[in-house]
Amino acid sequence: MTQVLSRENMGEAWKRVKSNKGSAGVDGLTIEQTVEHLKTQWPRIRQEIREGVYRPQAVRRVEIPKPTGGVRALGIPTVTDRLIQQALLQILQPLIDPTFSEFSYGFRPGRSAHDAVLQAQRYAQDGYRVVVDVDLEKFFDRVNHDILMDRLAKRIDDKAVLRLVRRYLEAGVMLNGVVVARDEGTPQGGPLSPLLANVLLDDVDRALARRGHRFARYADDCNVYVRSQRAGERVLRWLRRLYAQLHLRVNEKKTEVGSVFGRKFLGYCLRRWSGDTVKIAVAPKAIDTFKQRIRTITKRVGGQSMAQVAKKMRSYLPGWKAYFRLAQTPQIFKNLDSWIRHRLRAIQLRHWRTGTTVYSRLRALGASHEVAVQLARGAGHWWRHSGAGLNRVLTVTYFDTLGFPRLA
């Protein structure tokens, strides 16, 4: 606890919390307002933590829509509690993380979803082409506090730290202005939650390793790779019992045993290529989600200028492209680029609106009289006419000059 509350550690924690931004918690204080609040209140808060009497405030519940439907519930702590949790994380993670499995990739320093996907590819290439794809039912809401604290106490012997972590687990949730007590779960949204999730699920990792199974886990998303359907079904029955010991439930609707090919894992999927080679591709659901986001950005109503659309695209496309850089199917990116430019041409025609303006703008860009007349006569049918020779006028270079990024 002395390390947690040290001036140097708290300073680093504040830098991280500030850089992560984020909204206010139940106290309504933004990051800027919390600075002023802590100037006078931090000595008292620090002393309460040292004496073991500090009580975290309830978390603010926020529901985030999932791309596949439904919502993901997040619990947003106050900025002050995010600061304290971050300070705890900075001391606990270097102590605990080295004890985790090398096949656990989620929310760990120096590891990423890309590492998990590459490991899955290696398993499939080695002949383990049946996957036990396990989905846990509301994992972060179902974490048993007693079991988690027991596992944590085996790694940390500082009772003050353990007491403070437990109080963060038990902090209530603000729902419709009322604080609801919580006796299980570690809400997503706090800096400590991912580390605590890994502490609990490490039991499963160790059991898998003892049996010599090949697996890759990212947070609560765990895939086990075997050689046959029968072996996969046997592993799944065993995993159900294992998770039950941790008071966790397998989501039977989303958990499956089947071919590794075409199954989504962290937004990617694996494809069988010529010569029995296994390649990484973008999962179809991830492409559907991408297209829906682009449709939202490029909707042809609302009075957006091309500059505004380009700005939104620059904030979204590079990040998506960076995440899916492992994909070994470049034609997908070329096809998506072509589809995006088709939408952009339709937007540009709509902006020009009248047939006369469309004609004069196209002629100024080098279009022939015939093409310009054809497109001008189609004013109002933007999508249908956006591909009728317009690609030779509103070229890739044209959209480059407007600041639109490319995928390919």
Side-chain angles (χ1 to χ4, degrees):
M1 185 60 82
T2 300
Q3 290 177 284
V4 170
L5 294 174
S6 71
R7 186 180 185 88
E8 181 182 13
N9 188 55
M10 293 304 304
E12 287 299 315
W14 177 253
K15 289 178 185 177
R16 180 61 63 87
V17 169
K18 187 177 179 181
S19 67
N20 288 341
K21 299 179 181 178
S23 57
V26 296
D27 61 359
L29 297 181
T30 63
I31 289 176
E32 293 76 16
Q33 291 169 329
T34 300
V35 172
E36 298 304 313
H37 172 73
L38 291 179
K39 284 180 180 177
T40 58
Q41 298 301 314
W42 178 244
R44 173 187 60 79
I45 294 171
R46 182 178 56 203
Q47 189 61 31
E48 288 181 357
I49 293 172
R50 282 176 172 164
E51 294 173 357
V53 297
Y54 178 74
R55 296 281 179 178
Q57 291 186 266
V59 298
R60 180 168 64 87
R61 185 183 175 90
V62 176
E63 293 184 342
I64 306 297
K66 293 182 179 180
T68 54
V71 295
R72 174 178 288 107
L74 300 182
I76 309 299
T78 65
V79 178
T80 297
D81 283 322
R82 294 207 295 272
L83 170 65
I84 298 168
Q85 284 195 40
Q86 180 63 38
L88 281 165
L89 179 67
Q90 289 170 182
I91 299 303
L92 297 182
Q93 192 156 46
L95 296 173
I96 297 174
D97 190 82
T99 69
F100 293 149
S101 166
E102 63 177 302
F103 302 110
S104 166
Y105 299 96
F107 308 107
R108 298 183 60 191
R111 291 168 173 265
S112 69
H114 288 168
D115 297 320
V117 173
L118 289 169
Q119 185 63 60
Q121 182 189 32
R122 286 191 286 270
Y123 290 143
Q125 193 64 67
D126 290 343
Y128 295 86
R129 298 190 172 180
V130 172
V131 62
V132 184
D133 184 358
V134 180
D135 185 272
L136 294 178
E137 190 175 278
K138 297 182 179 179
F139 167 71
F140 283 93
D141 294 334
R142 295 267 166 80
V143 169
N144 181 280
H145 293 172
D146 291 335
I147 295 174
L148 172 57
M149 292 307 301
D150 174 72
R151 303 307 188 269
L152 193 61
K154 292 176 180 176
R155 292 172 162 90
I156 305 166
D157 60 3
D158 189 318
K159 288 184 172 53
V161 169
L162 293 170
R163 182 168 52 242
L164 183 57
V165 170
R166 178 119 200 178
R167 284 183 178 164
Y168 273 114
L169 289 173
E170 295 174 346
V173 179
M174 180 74 79
L175 292 173
N176 301 317
V178 178
V179 175
V180 179
R182 188 174 68 230
D183 57 8
E184 64 177 2
T186 172
Q188 291 175 275
L192 269 179
S193 290
L195 176 66
L196 298 178
N198 279 332
V199 167
L200 183 64
L201 293 174
D202 188 58
D203 273 19
V204 179
D205 295 346
R206 289 173 184 272
L208 286 166
R210 282 195 299 270
R211 291 199 173 194
H213 288 302
R214 287 147 183 85
F215 70 97
R217 181 174 67 79
Y218 191 93
D220 59 325
D221 198 346
C222 183
N223 280 3
V224 184
Y225 298 84
V226 295
R227 291 188 183 273
S228 70
Q229 184 75 18
R230 178 178 290 182
E233 290 169 357
R234 186 168 59 248
V235 169
L236 179 56
R237 288 193 295 271
W238 172 69
L239 282 173
R240 286 194 187 100
R241 296 193 298 271
L242 199 59
Y243 283 120
Q245 292 172 14
L246 297 175
H247 292 204
L248 298 172
R249 287 207 296 263
V250 170
N251 186 331
E252 299 297 343
K253 291 182 179 179
K254 295 182 179 181
T255 296
E256 293 182 272
V257 178
S259 171
V260 73
F261 296 113
R263 189 172 299 278
K264 183 172 73 73
F265 181 46
L266 302 175
Y268 285 94
C269 67
L270 300 178
R271 300 287 187 196
R272 192 197 305 269
W273 221 251
S274 59
D276 212 30
T277 301
V278 177
K279 287 196 173 184
I280 298 171
V282 183
K285 283 187 178 180
I287 293 175
D288 291 343
T289 302
F290 171 82
K291 283 189 169 184
Q292 188 54 49
R293 180 68 180 273
I294 296 299
R295 289 188 185 100
T296 301
I297 292 173
T298 60
K299 58 185 178 183
R300 296 188 295 279
V301 294
Q304 292 187 103
S305 69
M306 292 299 281
Q308 289 172 319
V309 176
K311 183 178 179 181
K312 291 179 181 179
M313 296 281 269
R314 287 195 300 272
S315 71
Y316 177 61
L317 254 68
W320 193 90
K321 179 180 178 179
Y323 181 78
F324 287 104
R325 67 180 183 269
L326 293 184
Q328 297 167 302
T329 50
Q331 189 60 44
I332 291 293
F333 297 104
K334 293 178 183 177
N335 292 344
L336 288 173
D337 266 340
S338 178
W339 176 78
I340 290 170
R341 286 193 293 271
H342 192 65
R343 293 190 65 82
L344 294 178
R345 291 182 186 112
I347 295 173
Q348 186 64 89
L349 287 177
R350 182 180 178 86
H351 282 181
W352 289 337
R353 293 184 181 279
T354 66
T356 303
T357 303
V358 170
Y359 177 85
S360 61
R361 291 295 183 93
L362 291 177
R363 290 289 284 157
L365 288 168
S368 68
H369 168 74
E370 291 76 14
V371 170
V373 167
Q374 178 188 4
L375 291 167
R377 286 175 178 170
H381 302 284
W382 314 118
W383 180 256
R384 185 195 315 165
H385 292 284
S386 64
L390 194 60
N391 59 325
R392 294 190 295 273
V393 183
L394 301 184
T395 62
V396 176
T397 303
Y398 173 79
F399 290 110
D400 286 345
T401 61
L402 294 180
F404 285 93
R406 303 188 206 179
L407 288 175

